[in-house]
Amino acid sequence: FTVIHEFSSYLLHLLLLAELFVRSSSRPTPSTPLCGTFRSMIHHVDKLMNLSRKLHDLTEDEVKHFGDVHHRLDSLPEIHHTSADIRLLQVNESLSQLYAHTQSFKLHIDWLKTARENVSASSQSIEGASSHLQGLSDFLKASLQHMGEEAPQSTPPSLPVVSSAFDALIFSMEMSNRLQVFCDWSKRVLHHIKKQLFTLTVPATR
């Protein structure tokens, strides 16, 4: 009986030491559901970036022949945010702005898809871009709702009539350039928000 008692005490001490070791060495991980959506949102942005380069179906050499494409889509959001500007953004403000920009690009991409189809131009890459914009928009809206914020309403823009395949090509080139800028900005904003959330949910180690 004495041997069994001594063995039980020894085992109990081992279990207590193991529990203390686990508690002292384990690091807490972010618990907020928002953190789990960022991989998916960044995935959509990465896919958008790849598709944005294919909207006009031209090679790099062919694009150079056109020179600089003038901005004719004034209803697209202008994005001039520097890294310093992004660091000052708050989480809810960033998500609202990103959602509004995403909705705007979705409306323009859908318009371009219809315009290209009307002049018998390919729209496969545009369909893919529209799908990923919708996916990104859905995640952003759900994130805002999770935070108790209302998603900003979008006003349908006034868009030009596309009467020729050449017009459709020029607008496709502009959309390609503008969408690439949007994707670069969006990815930096998402990484900034993710970092903010991680900092808020993971306490400093002692």
Side-chain angles (χ1 to χ4, degrees), residues 61-155:
D61 288 336
E62 289 171 332
V63 169
K64 291 176 183 177
H65 289 305
F66 286 89
D68 292 331
V69 177
H70 297 292
H71 286 190
R72 296 167 63 189
L73 297 175
D74 296 331
S75 48
L76 275 174
E78 290 286 345
I79 299 172
H80 297 297
H81 300 290
T82 65
S83 297
D85 294 326
I86 290 174
R87 285 195 295 269
L88 293 174
L89 289 173
Q90 300 300 312
V91 172
N92 57 344
E93 177 190 357
S94 305
L95 289 174
S96 293
Q97 192 173 47
L98 185 50
Y99 177 81
H101 287 357
T102 302
Q103 285 291 96
S104 178
F105 273 95
K106 175 69 166 60
L107 290 169
H108 284 78
I109 279 288
D110 289 344
W111 159 80
L112 184 60
K113 176 178 176 292
T114 301
R116 287 180 66 92
E117 289 174 347
N118 288 341
V119 295
S120 301
S122 171
S123 61
Q124 185 175 356
S125 297
I126 297 176
E127 288 178 2
S130 176
S131 176
H132 286 293
L133 282 166
Q134 184 61 57
L136 178 60
S137 177
D138 290 342
F139 275 114
L140 289 166
K141 185 175 183 179
S143 298
L144 285 167
Q145 290 174 343
H146 175 79
M147 297 172 63
E149 299 282 342
E150 288 290 331
Q153 296 295 319
S154 301
T155 303

